[in-house]
Structure formats: structure tokens, C-alpha cells
Amino acid sequence: MRGPLFYAKILLFGEYGIIKDSKGLAIPYNSYQGTLKKEENLNESAALSNKNLCLFYTYLKEKTVEFPELLSFRLEELEKDINEGMYFDSSIPQGYGVGSSGALVAALYDKYANNKITVLENLTRDKLLQLKQIFSIMESFFHGKSSGLDPLNSYLSIPILINSKDHIEPAGIPSQKEEGKGAVFLLDSQIIGETEPMVNIFMNKMKNEGFRNMLSKEFSAHTDACIDDFLKGNVKSLFGNVKKLSKVVLDNFQPMIPKKFHQVWQSGIESNNYYLKLCGSGGGGYILGFAPDFEKAKEQLKDYRLELVYRF
């Protein structure tokens, strides 16, 4: 048995802001993917995945009782497949902010949900919100609290624009320029990040009025401007706004940036060769970078592993 592939995702803009209802833009990232598989003899990582699926099955069973109007799964079939050695075979790095648990949730929904909303039908706003709600409940098993956006992105495999908590829509993004000098890239921190502690830090910071003002005035304004520029292909303006966003994040989200990258972050802002921002909740994993000239950024960041995501 082997199921369809579900891809990683990158939240280009909106990390933390979307928790507090500002805009976000998420895109699928096809370099990493996962699929459900079933085998009799499992290696160590497959056996661990199978064990986690067992725990997830118990969680789903409870949640279907709690939310019968939203969740309906063929649980007996799921239990049987888990007992027969089903696991999630994934190349998506865990704790890296690119949606490893989201892809798993999307795969399970796709295979076991009753009356599932499919990618092929007319995706109205109501259907998108319903999917997001379902995925939010499912993915909360992994993080304690989930927006449901990662699985939504992985399941639909299309860019998604988050206007607010109750207003999401598919987004058309400009096609890549294969020969373009500018780029979006991932920088590997080589540190595994954990979502829940980072979200807890953020929630504690939200008790501070100054932090709340910064979030609603500066952070959200720069994020919204970046999304607008990106979708319209205003590259020059985009880099100006990403630089402002990068500064605000460095000044206000330091616990989410691994210490050894504080200076790397600052150097990008000073040199204008690249600008860094959080990828997911931070604390490790990938850091997202934007470079007006990718070759110059690569030269300045030659001590780090970079992955190209998108060319301008």
C-alpha cells in the first residue's frame, strides 16, 4: 500500500500574526513530501511513526465524539491499517517549520474521512473554513494549538492567502523567473525547533501592551505590505518592506531566533544582501531568507546550507 504524496509548506508571511488575525500567505514546497505506507517489517523510524499513529488514532476517536458535526472517519479501517504496519514515510524534516505534521494530517484526512471535501470541487469560502476547522482540531494533537493552515496547504497543494481567521482563499502567485537574480531561500539552522514552547513565549509576550501595539501597528502593517507586493510582483517595493519586517522581528522576537543567528540576521539588514525572517514558529529549523541578488547572499552566507525556494 502506498498513498498519494502530500507536500511540505512554507508560510512566506504571517507567522505569529495569523494567530492574532492579521494576513498570511502560505505556499506548497514540493522539495519535501510524505505518504502513507504499509509494510510487515518496519525499520526503527517507521516503527516510531506507526506508534505515533496509534496515539493519534486514540486522539481522533475522542475528538469525533467531541465534534461529531465536524469529524467523521472510518476509524475501524484506520485501526486495522495501523495494526497491519501503516506508517507515514516522509522526507519533511520535523521541527523545521515546513509542516511535517500538516502533511500527515492531510494524508489521514484524505484516506479516512467520510464525506470529505475534495480538491476537485468548487472550493467556496465556507468549505475552506470547514476544512481549516477540521485540520485545526486534528493537528492540535501535535502542537497543543493549531490554526489548521499547514494541513490545509498540504491537502490542497495550492498557495493560500489568509486575510483573517474567517477569510481565506486560494491565491495566484506570480510565476517564477528561472533566470531571476532575486530569490526566496531557506537557511538551515541545524537546530530542531519545537512549536509549542515558542507559541507559549509569544502568548506571554501578548500580555504586554507595548508588544501588542507593535504587533498590530508595525508587524502586521509590514506583513500585509509584503504580501501585497509579492502577489502583485512589485519586487523592489517587496524588498524594502521585507527589510522593515526583518528589523521588527529581530527587535521583538529574539527568543524565537537562535542566538548564534542574531548577528547573521543583523548583517543581512546592514549589507542589504539578504533579509531574514522566521519560518514557522522559530526556535530552530529553517530561517526564511529574501535576497535581491541570490549569488551575493550565497557568498555572504557561505558557511550555511541554503535551499532555493522561489526566484524573482
Side-chain angles (χ1 to χ4, degrees), residues 171-287:
I173 63 170
S175 47
Q176 295 196 55
K177 294 185 170 57
E178 296 303 326
E179 305 304 312
K181 282 169 71 173
V184 181
F185 62 91
L186 294 172
L187 187 162
D188 187 351
S189 73
Q190 299 191 308
I191 300 163
I192 291 175
E194 284 187 54
T195 301
E196 203 166 343
M198 294 297 117
V199 172
N200 289 341
I201 291 169
F202 174 76
M203 289 306 191
N204 279 329
K205 279 177 166 285
M206 284 299 289
K207 292 170 187 170
N208 178 302
E209 193 185 347
F211 185 83
R212 288 199 305 274
N213 285 339
M214 174 281 304
L215 197 78
S216 63
K217 291 183 179 139
E218 293 175 75
F219 183 85
S220 292
H222 298 328
T223 296
D224 291 359
C226 287
I227 291 170
D228 204 44
D229 286 338
F230 187 86
L231 292 176
K232 288 176 178 166
N234 297 337
V235 178
K236 196 174 173 192
S237 174
L238 172 68
F239 284 113
N241 283 313
V242 172
K243 181 177 182 176
K244 290 175 191 167
L245 184 59
S246 184
K247 276 183 184 168
V248 168
V249 173
L250 182 59
D251 290 344
N252 297 281
F253 290 81
Q254 289 215 352
M256 290 78 166
I257 303 168
K259 275 200 174 64
K260 67 175 186 176
F261 288 95
H262 288 189
Q263 189 48 53
V264 180
W265 203 289
Q266 183 64 38
S267 298
I269 293 166
E270 287 169 5
S271 67
N272 291 314
N273 286 338
Y274 61 87
Y275 310 114
L276 300 180
K277 62 181 290 299
L278 296 173
C279 179
S281 55
Y286 286 121
I287 294 167

Side-chain angles (χ1 to χ4, degrees), residues 1-41:
M1 176 197 118
R2 187 180 163 185
L5 292 174
F6 290 89
Y7 297 111
K9 76 88 193 58
I10 292 173
L11 186 62
L12 277 186
F13 301 104
E15 68 292 339
Y16 289 108
I18 57 171
I19 297 176
K20 291 294 154 197
D21 233 15
S22 68
K23 278 189 177 184
L25 179 64
I27 60 168
Y29 184 47
N30 299 358
S31 295
Y32 297 117
Q33 64 271 324
T35 184
L36 290 168
K37 280 187 181 175
K38 197 157 66 174
E39 285 170 22
E40 279 180 32
N41 301 312

Side-chain angles (χ1 to χ4, degrees), residues 115-175:
N115 314 312
K116 71 177 180 184
I117 295 166
T118 71
V119 187
L120 300 171
E121 60 195 274
N122 177 20
L123 287 168
T124 62
R125 192 159 133 188
D126 285 349
K127 283 179 186 171
L128 281 171
L129 282 174
Q130 190 183 337
L131 266 177
K132 183 173 169 285
Q133 264 185 300
I134 291 165
F135 289 148
S136 168
I137 297 164
M138 289 175 75
E139 203 189 24
S140 293
F141 169 76
F142 298 95
H143 302 315
K145 184 173 172 33
S146 160
S147 68
L149 280 166
D150 286 9
L152 185 67
N153 200 276
S154 188
Y155 181 63
L156 299 176
S157 208
I158 52 174
I160 291 170
L161 173 64
I162 303 104
N163 292 297
S164 67
K165 220 168 8 215
D166 300 324
H167 184 190
I168 52 177
E169 58 186 325
I173 63 170
S175 47

